[in-house]
Amino acid sequence: MEVIRLEFQPQIKDKILEFLNSFSSEELKIVREDPFFEENKKKLEAELANIKNGTAEFCSLDELDLMMDEIFAENDNKIK
C-alpha cells in the first residue's frame, strides 16, 4: 500500500470521507493522524537543531532517574 497525506478545507471533509468510504477495506484504509503531529514535529526539529549546534543539554541515566523520581513523587502527591 501507499500512503499520502491530504490537506483540505474543513467544509469538504464529509465529501472526501464519503468518497473514500466507497472503497473496500482491502483497497483503502483511513489512518487518522495525531492531532498534535505538527506541534510535536516543530518541537523535535528545534531539539535536533540544538543538538546540531551544540546548545542541547544532556543528562546521565542517574540524573534522569532522579528527575523521574521527583516527577512521580509530585504526581503521587497531586492524586492524593
Side-chain angles (χ1 to χ4, degrees), residues 16-60:
I16 291 173
L17 289 176
E18 182 179 340
F19 172 70
L20 295 176
N21 284 322
S22 69
F23 295 96
S24 72
S25 59
E26 290 84 33
E27 294 173 306
L28 177 75
K29 178 180 177 186
I30 298 174
V31 179
R32 303 230 182 251
E33 200 170 85
D34 177 0
F36 302 106
F37 176 81
E38 289 297 328
E39 180 182 334
N40 291 333
K41 180 181 173 186
K42 287 178 186 174
K43 288 179 185 177
L44 291 172
E45 287 172 339
E47 289 297 322
L48 179 59
N50 289 341
I51 291 169
K52 287 182 176 181
N53 69 26
T55 60
E57 294 183 22
F58 298 95
C59 66
S60 69

Side-chain angles (χ1 to χ4, degrees), residues 72-80:
F72 290 142
E74 286 175 19
N75 288 327
D76 282 346
N77 291 334
K78 289 179 183 177
I79 293 172
K80 293 178 184 178

